[in-house]
Amino acid sequence: MPVLCQKISMLDTSGVVFLQLGAMAALALYVAANLGANDVANSMGTSVGSKALTLRQAIIVAGILEFSGAVLFGQGVSETLATGVVNAQVFAAKPQVFLIGMVSVLIACGIWLQIATSRGLPVSSSHAVVGAIAGFSCVAAGINAVDWGTIGTISLTWVATPVASGALAALFYSVVKYSILDRPDPLSQMREWIPWLSAAMLSVFGIIVLPSVVNVALVQTGAIALAHDRLGWNLPTHDIVIGIGAIAAIGLTFNSWKKLESVENEEGRGEKAEGISTNSSPTLTLRHTLIEQQMARFQVLSACFVAFSHGSNDVGNAVAPLAAIAYIRRTGSFPSEDFSVPLWILVVGGAGIVIGLTIWGKNVIATVGEKIIELQPSGGFCAELATATTVLLASRFGLPVSTSHALVGAVVGVGLIKAWKTVRLETLLSIGSAWLVTIPIAAGLAAIIFSIAQSIGQF
């Protein structure tokens, strides 16, 4: 009988733990859904705004790539954001308090991201998570529990990220505008610039995505080791990445030349049949239309890369608190810096991103793609390229940046070169205000929720 009672007690305990983890997973799904609805504008907003993709197409493409990136490559998130924001020594002796704090973080971030998304405001999910962690930490263990140096660094990126991305976008669009769009024969210039545009895009996005792909597909599967053992080939990973990128750039160049030529010949036959002069204004308009069609293909590819990399990187903003909660439940100790994120948690994050994108994503996509300036594919492509370059350079220097901030800055940079009077200042003021209040609002919400949870004593 005592053994039976012990087994029943163990089943009851495991059932309670399972229900608690299920509830926490539902919270993480909620946060991931709001993250997907808000942050997916980073990858698809300019494509929808420039009409390179319809909203329906953008949601489908982004959903597939965001989920794939989150599940296949999200395990690179090897430590929670908390290890860089809080003083680990403060919570090492009281992991259960930290667990309550992580629950508060999930609820606070979900609420704020949903409010921002409902108003169509692109905010930084990473800033919301950081603010929420800082908020509950101050209530739980005092001001010294927060690493204020990290908070200060993140705050500086509010200014640096959009400025840097805007400057790069302005530079890229100036080159495209001067070298292609404003030339007497833009189609001829487009043919000359296609190889350079292909190389630029695949260089930037290839550096972001390809190393992870090669690592998972060839290194972790043992394919490179097998090639070395059986064939004697010594294949450095970075050489494989460069080779794949070069082949892709060459293939994209020839494919783009072929498509441009076929469309040009078809339109030329139509003009000849209708008796349109090659020097007439409709022909010049048609040439620019053909160029924008080609730019739209580049932009869609760039958006796909950004969506994939966003899913693999930013999923940690939603699931890192859940991973910390699961770790504490399993071990009873504060998460160490080398703990990994289980696959089921990544699936929860990826699924949440897709759900939120599908249900609420159109609001923020419309703000970024249409309400700042009117975009064409050429401008949208330059904005995407500048965003990716900024985020990549920041990652190399270990700087925490927001993709949302980078993309908004890039869209403004394109607008300043294209026609600065068309930039809608009221939209920028709304976005800037949302940026400024994200950390204090998330911190306040988390602090209130944490205080209520402690006072009730349900945990």
Side-chain angles (χ1 to χ4, degrees):
M1 184 66 69
V3 175
L4 179 61
C5 291
Q6 185 178 9
K7 288 183 177 180
I8 293 175
S9 177
M10 291 176 62
L11 288 174
D12 290 343
T13 302
S14 62
V16 170
V17 171
F18 179 78
L19 289 175
Q20 288 177 338
L21 280 179
M24 297 308 101
L27 274 177
L29 186 74
Y30 171 63
V31 175
N34 283 286
L35 184 149
N38 199 288
D39 275 12
V40 170
N42 299 335
S43 58
M44 293 296 164
T46 57
S47 295
V48 174
S50 67
K51 306 299 188 293
L53 289 175
T54 65
L55 180 61
R56 181 183 179 87
Q57 290 171 335
I59 289 175
I60 293 173
V61 171
I64 294 172
L65 292 172
E66 291 271 350
F67 183 82
S68 301
V71 174
L72 296 177
F73 300 102
Q75 56 265 52
V77 184
S78 59
E79 65 180 59
T80 174
L81 290 170
T83 59
V85 179
V86 303
N87 185 347
Q89 295 178 350
V90 173
F91 292 101
K94 40 186 178 181
Q96 293 302 318
V97 174
F98 189 74
L99 186 149
I100 299 173
M102 287 294 101
V103 175
S104 305
V105 167
L106 287 174
I107 298 174
C109 290
I111 292 173
W112 171 239
L113 287 175
Q114 184 169 9
I115 292 173
T117 302
S118 66
R119 296 179 175 274
L121 299 173
V123 297
S124 170
S125 57
S126 58
H127 290 179
V129 173
V130 168
I133 293 174
F136 95 80
S137 298
C138 288
V139 174
I143 295 178
N144 292 331
V146 181
D147 186 344
W148 294 106
T150 300
I151 299 292
T153 301
I154 293 174
S155 299
L156 288 176
T157 64
W158 283 350
V159 177
T161 300
V163 170
S165 185
L168 283 175
L171 175 62
F172 293 154
Y173 189 71
S174 296
V175 171
V176 170
K177 188 174 184 295
Y178 173 78
S179 302
I180 301 175
L181 300 178
D182 291 346
R183 292 289 180 168
D185 188 0
L187 281 178
S188 176
Q189 292 297 115
M190 185 65 189
R191 290 190 202 94
E192 292 184 12
W193 275 89
I194 279 176
W196 298 104
L197 294 175
S198 300
M201 182 182 69
L202 290 171
S203 295
V204 173
F205 294 111
I207 292 174
I208 294 174
V209 177
L210 279 180
S212 298
V213 175
V214 170
N215 181 61
V216 172
L218 299 180
V219 176
Q220 294 184 16
T221 59
I224 292 181
L226 183 64
H228 181 269
D229 294 339
R230 294 194 175 183
L231 303 176
W233 293 350
N234 186 15
L235 302 174
T237 304
H238 63 274
D239 287 348
I240 296 176
V241 171
I242 293 173
I244 294 174
I247 293 172
I250 293 172
L252 179 60
T253 296
F254 280 101
N255 182 263
S256 300
W257 276 338
K258 185 177 179 180
K259 287 183 178 295
L260 186 64
E261 184 178 0
S262 63
V263 174
E264 184 181 4
N265 290 338
E266 182 178 346
E267 296 293 342
R269 287 192 296 270
E271 288 178 6
K272 187 175 181 180
E274 296 177 10
I276 298 177
S277 170
T278 57
N279 294 322
S280 64
S281 57
T283 300
L284 294 176
T285 302
L286 176 62
R287 290 173 182 173
H288 282 98
T289 301
L290 293 176
I291 290 172
E292 294 298 343
Q293 289 176 355
Q294 184 60 55
M295 285 291 187
R297 297 188 183 96
F298 284 116
Q299 187 183 2
V300 170
L301 285 175
S302 67
C304 290
F305 280 122
V306 172
F308 187 86
S309 59
H310 175 267
S312 63
N313 292 329
D314 282 18
V315 69
N317 295 332
V319 302
L322 176 60
I325 292 169
Y327 184 93
I328 294 172
R329 281 297 188 193
R330 188 176 69 254
T331 64
S333 60
F334 183 83
S336 58
E337 292 188 356
D338 60 348
F339 86 98
S340 59
V341 180
L343 179 61
W344 71 269
I345 291 181
L346 295 175
V347 171
V348 168
I353 287 175
V354 175
I355 291 171
L357 163 66
T358 305
I359 298 175
W360 302 308
K362 62 181 181 180
N363 292 336
V364 177
I365 287 177
T367 297
V368 174
E370 300 173 358
K371 295 184 180 179
I372 299 177
I373 63 168
E374 292 184 3
L375 280 172
Q376 291 180 312
S378 55
F381 168 70
C382 292
E384 294 274 9
L385 189 62
T387 299
T389 303
T390 302
V391 174
L392 174 62
L393 291 175
S395 300
R396 291 300 181 206
F397 288 103
L399 298 175
V401 297
S402 166
T403 311
S404 301
H405 293 189
L407 185 65
V408 170
V411 172
V412 173
V414 171
L416 292 177
I417 299 300
K418 185 178 179 180
W420 66 270
K421 291 184 179 180
T422 63
V423 178
R424 299 183 178 97
L425 294 179
E426 64 275 11
T427 301
L428 291 180
L429 288 175
S430 297
I431 294 173
S433 299
W435 288 356
L436 289 174
V437 301
T438 290
I439 281 187
I441 286 182
L445 284 173
I448 293 171
I449 294 168
F450 177 81
S451 300
I452 294 173
Q454 273 201 321
S455 63
I456 294 176
Q458 291 182 343
F459 292 82

